């Protein structure tokens, strides 16, 4: 297979400027990750430690196999909201006794591990990852149930939203956990503390339950609710203690002496699952890229209008920098070809400009070919969208763009998307955005995601407003329009930033560009827990 050779000038002023800008963005990301890792803060953590409780990340670290990575999902959820950065839950993929699994952990230092709109999205995303990739599901449960305070304090609409979430996403988790069991995907709960109301159903719906003596408590209604509902003064241990559930109710399967003993029992349970992957293992040489991944930090400008060659990314991510390009002379604004990541064969699609008809047709054919040979697809986004204009419409851009979207929508091999730069409008769909059932989507700090670019959005609004005034015979206020356009552009710019998107759980997380190869490798390994099968069945597209 041919080897890509880099033409990137790492001594140029442009590279230096890009590198400095990426350093600033990474600094912000790392500060927020550190804030998320602090949970509810030092005081809350010390209070838990005084009761013999470990922080959630320490619990997870002790459960994982030594020297194995943990791929965290949406670590920056809830940034710039009234909730803690990270949202009070930790969700990710790790390895326990050789078994790749999805791990969900309530952080009891953050509002007693209660459910809120952001961590509920993370929880549901974790369940989706477990289902789609056939990964066992492990829960570290310690939850006070739903957060009754709501995000907006005394805002009466907060209660309405809370009710909608309760009967929507929060309630759905009971179904999802049960469905995993039906699909023969094991579910295991290790209960570290009080698990109340909705939190009680997490172990209630699990295949295996491990409870900790004098620490775990599981009940649909805690003593205050029991008092209000029935008048009974219930003893917490008799109502839902670990001993009671392991000896009387039968909810508990294993009784641990303390947290480390509970983790030991969890590892024992994982060891007897007899878990086997259904997809093929790595089949190609997993040697490191010839090109240095550190140069990825200086590749992309903060001003995404500055072009770069996506082959420079490919050469620093794929095994041995090897890449067999498909149709290199046709549709050059989309790079397609075959490569491998950590030994897993992949088909790669990367943007080198807007999608023209030729590029869209090439993509549709390439996606079909990868499905015929059961090869997963990696999409590298830097796309402003499909090309627009009279000549392009007459040339069939809508028709041919639809072929590409049709191929993406009907493809059944795993898709992994890395948003490197822009991902605007229908270009996001064509490049297998989150709404297209993509198995995993990660962002670089330079990423921007929107319906269209901020300047274009503000300009379109001005044109529409000017046309409306003309139809009504009114004088158009240019000064007021300029002010509106400036405000619209500012907010569109802010909300298009990758940090905003990732904080709203619109993707699986923001990553350091240098980690791209390993993140893709972990995702591919997770995908191969299930069968990797392409399809020859595609929807009808216009010829």
């Amino acid at each position: 297979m041919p080897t890509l050779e880099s033409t990137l000038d790492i001594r140029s002023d442009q590279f230096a400027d890009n590198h400095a800008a990426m350093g600033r963005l990474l600094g912000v990301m790392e500060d927020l990750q550190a804030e998320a890792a602090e949970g509810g803060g030092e005081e809350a953590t010390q209070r838990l430690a005084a009761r013999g409780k470990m922080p959630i990340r320490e619990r997870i670290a002790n459960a994982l196999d030594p020297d194995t990575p943990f791929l965290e999902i949406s670590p920056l959820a809830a940034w710039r909201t009234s909730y803690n950065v990270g949202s009070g839950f930790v969700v990710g993929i790790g390895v326990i006794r050789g078994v790749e699994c999805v791990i969900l952990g309530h952080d009891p230092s953050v509002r007693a591990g209660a459910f809120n709109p952001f961590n509920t999205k993370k929880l549901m995303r974790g369940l989706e990852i477990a289902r789609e990739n056939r990964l066992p599901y492990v829960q570290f449960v310690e939850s006070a149930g739903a957060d009754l305070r709501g995000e907006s304090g005394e805002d009466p609409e907060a209660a309405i939203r809370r009710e909608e979430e309760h009967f929507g996403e929060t309630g759905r988790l009971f179904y999802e956990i049960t469905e995993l069991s039906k699909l023969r995907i094991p579910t295991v709960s290790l209960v570290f503390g009080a698990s109340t109301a909705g939190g009680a159903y997490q172990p209630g719906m699990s295949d295996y339950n491990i409870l900790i003596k004098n620490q775990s408590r599981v009940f649909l209604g805690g003593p205050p609710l029991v008092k209000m509902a029935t008048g009974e003064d219930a003893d917490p241990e008799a109502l839902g203690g670990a001993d009671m559930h392991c000896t009387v109710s039968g909810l508990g399967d294993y009784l641990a002496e303390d947290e480390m003993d509970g983790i030991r029992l969890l590892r024992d349970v994982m060891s007897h699952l007899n878990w086997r992957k259904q997809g093929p293992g790595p089949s190609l040489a997993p040697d490191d890229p010839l090109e240095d991944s550190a140069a990825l930090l200086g590749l992309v400008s903060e001003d995404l209008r500055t072009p770069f060659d996506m082959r420079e990314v490919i050469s620093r991510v794929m095994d041995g920098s090897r890449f067999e390009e498909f149709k290199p002379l046709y549709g050059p604004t989309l790079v397609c070809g075959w490569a491998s990541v950590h030994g897993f064969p992949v088909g790669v699609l990367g943007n080198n400009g807007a999608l023209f008809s030729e590029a869209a047709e090439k993509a549709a054919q390439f996606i079909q070919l990868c499905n015929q040979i059961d090869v997963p697809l990696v999409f590298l986004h830097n796309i402003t969208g499909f090309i627009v204009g009279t000549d392009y419409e007459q040339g069939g851009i809508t028709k041919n763009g639809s072929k590409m979207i049709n191929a993406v929508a009907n493809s059944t091999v795993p898709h992994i998307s890395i948003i490197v730069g822009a991902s605007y409008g229908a270009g996001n769909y064509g490049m297998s955005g989150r709404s297209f059932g993509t198995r995993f989507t990660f962002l670089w700090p330079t990423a921007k995601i929107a319906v269209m670019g901020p300047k274009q959005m503000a300009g379109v609004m001005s044109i529409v407003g000017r046309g409306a005034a003309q139809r009504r015979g009114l004088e158009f206020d240019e000064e007021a329009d300029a002010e509106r356009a400036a405000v619209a552009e500012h907010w569109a710019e802010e909300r298009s930033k990758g940090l905003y998107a990732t904080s709203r759980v619109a993707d699986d997380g923001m990553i350091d560009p240098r980690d791209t190869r390993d993140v893709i490798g972990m995702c591919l390994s997770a995908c191969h827990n299930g069968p990797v099968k392409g399809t020859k069945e595609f929807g009808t597209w216009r010829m």
Side-chain angles (χ1 to χ4, degrees):
M1 187 177 289
T3 299
L4 288 174
E5 293 186 9
S6 175
T7 59
L8 182 65
D9 183 1
I10 61 174
R11 296 181 178 84
S12 68
D13 291 341
Q14 181 68 62
F15 183 91
D17 290 344
N18 294 349
H19 196 283
M22 181 66 81
R24 290 193 298 272
L25 293 171
L26 285 174
V28 172
M29 182 186 82
E30 289 163 2
D31 287 346
L32 290 173
Q33 288 174 337
E35 184 179 338
E38 291 175 358
E42 186 177 352
E43 183 180 341
T45 302
Q46 289 178 349
R47 188 165 58 248
L48 291 168
R51 289 185 267 163
K53 294 187 174 186
M54 292 182 281
I56 181 57
R57 293 172 188 276
E58 190 175 332
R59 290 169 175 171
I60 293 172
N62 279 305
L64 296 174
D65 290 353
D67 300 320
T68 59
F70 180 68
L71 180 60
E72 189 168 351
I73 302 298
S74 297
L76 304 184
W79 170 74
R80 282 194 176 173
T81 72
S82 61
Y83 297 106
N84 297 62
V85 176
S87 76
F89 280 16
V90 177
V91 177
I93 299 173
V95 180
I96 302 176
R97 289 297 293 265
V99 178
E100 283 176 317
C101 52
V102 172
I103 300 171
L104 162 76
H106 298 252
D107 186 345
S109 73
V110 180
R111 297 191 179 187
F115 293 94
N116 64 54
F118 294 94
N119 61 36
T120 298
K121 284 185 178 180
K122 285 177 66 168
L123 182 149
M124 296 305 295
R125 177 61 182 143
L127 285 162
E128 182 179 39
I129 290 171
R131 183 182 67 251
E132 290 186 338
N133 299 288
R134 191 176 164 270
L135 290 168
Y137 185 66
V138 176
Q139 303 180 97
F140 287 7
V141 185
E142 185 165 5
S143 172
D147 186 349
L148 301 179
R149 288 170 286 192
E151 183 181 357
S152 304
E154 298 302 316
D155 178 4
E157 292 187 4
I160 297 173
R161 288 196 297 272
R162 190 165 61 246
E163 293 298 316
E164 291 173 347
E165 288 152 6
H166 172 72
F167 291 107
E169 287 188 334
T170 306
R172 178 75 180 181
L173 80 90
F174 308 148
Y175 175 91
E176 295 281 352
I177 295 171
T178 305
E179 186 182 43
L180 290 179
S181 184
K182 181 183 73 173
L183 295 172
R184 301 182 68 182
I185 299 173
T187 56
V188 185
S189 284
L190 173 47
V191 182
F192 283 93
S195 299
T196 309
Y201 282 106
Q202 290 179 267
M205 298 292 181
S206 296
D207 296 342
Y208 300 89
N209 287 325
I210 303 162
L211 277 60
I212 300 170
K213 184 179 290 188
N214 299 321
Q215 186 169 316
S216 304
R217 291 175 180 172
V218 181
F219 25 54
L220 299 183
L225 180 57
V226 171
K227 177 68 173 177
M228 292 301 298
T230 69
E232 177 189 354
D233 291 313
D235 174 72
E237 281 297 314
L239 182 65
D243 276 310
M244 186 281 291
H245 279 307
C246 288
T247 60
V248 179
S249 78
L251 176 68
D253 303 312
Y254 302 88
L255 182 62
E257 292 297 320
D258 53 30
E259 292 198 1
M260 285 305 296
D261 191 41
I263 290 170
R264 176 189 64 80
L265 289 168
L266 167 66
R267 290 179 56 79
D268 286 348
V269 169
M270 299 302 289
S271 71
H272 83 241
L273 293 180
N274 194 29
W275 193 250
R276 299 175 299 278
K277 289 188 173 188
Q278 295 181 351
S283 58
L284 298 174
D287 41 327
D288 292 336
L290 299 179
E291 302 294 342
D292 186 4
S293 65
L296 292 173
L297 299 184
L299 180 61
V300 184
S301 171
E302 274 192 297
D303 182 356
L304 296 181
R305 293 172 298 183
T306 305
F308 66 91
D309 190 343
M310 194 61 79
R311 294 178 186 85
E312 298 289 352
V313 177
I314 295 169
S315 70
R316 291 167 172 82
V317 171
M318 303 298 152
D319 293 339
S321 300
R322 292 183 294 274
F323 185 63
E324 179 190 338
E325 190 163 351
F326 175 69
K327 284 186 183 291
L329 304 180
Y330 187 78
T333 59
L334 184 71
V335 178
C336 298
W338 285 277
S340 64
V341 181
H342 284 286
F344 290 101
V346 294
V348 182
L349 298 94
N351 303 121
N352 264 355
L355 287 164
F356 290 76
S357 281
E358 297 83 358
E361 285 188 314
K362 176 167 75 170
Q365 182 185 0
F366 182 70
I367 291 166
Q368 284 182 305
L369 292 173
C370 288
N371 272 266
Q372 284 191 332
I373 58 175
D374 304 329
V375 170
L377 294 166
V378 174
F379 294 81
L380 302 173
H381 294 225
N382 183 33
I383 179 65
T384 55
F386 290 89
I387 195 70
V388 296
T390 302
D391 289 345
Y392 301 113
E393 288 294 351
Q394 291 178 358
I397 184 59
T398 299
K399 179 182 69 175
N400 294 317
S402 296
K403 292 178 186 176
M404 179 178 179
I405 294 174
N406 188 314
V408 170
N410 286 278
S411 169
T412 57
V413 294
H415 294 186
I416 297 168
S417 282
I418 306 294
I419 302 180
V420 172
S423 188
Y424 292 152
N428 176 271
Y429 309 149
M431 290 296 290
S432 195
R434 177 72 173 270
S435 59
F436 274 67
T438 305
R439 296 289 185 93
F440 295 95
T441 303
F442 288 92
L443 313 178
W444 282 14
T446 42
K448 290 186 178 178
I449 308 164
V451 174
M452 62 179 71
K455 287 185 180 296
Q456 290 79 4
M457 182 179 293
V460 167
M461 290 172 63
S462 291
I463 292 170
V464 171
R466 188 175 283 105
Q470 186 176 10
R471 286 193 301 273
R472 295 170 185 167
L474 302 174
E475 184 178 349
F476 187 67
D477 189 333
E478 296 286 352
E479 186 176 338
D481 177 70
E483 291 179 2
R484 285 193 299 269
V487 171
E489 184 177 337
H490 168 76
W491 285 110
E493 175 70 21
E494 286 298 303
R495 293 182 178 180
S496 72
K497 290 179 179 177
L499 187 54
Y500 181 88
T502 202
S503 72
R504 269 57 185 175
V505 199
D507 52 74
D508 295 315
M510 183 175 285
I511 61 173
D512 186 317
R514 293 167 293 187
D515 295 332
T516 303
R517 168 177 163 80
D518 290 339
V519 168
I520 293 174
M522 290 183 71
C523 292
L524 288 167
S525 183
C527 291
H528 283 68
N529 275 271
V532 177
K533 294 290 185 182
T535 181
K536 295 183 181 179
E537 301 293 331
F538 288 86
T540 300
W541 52 48
R542 298 178 183 276
M543 301 306 292

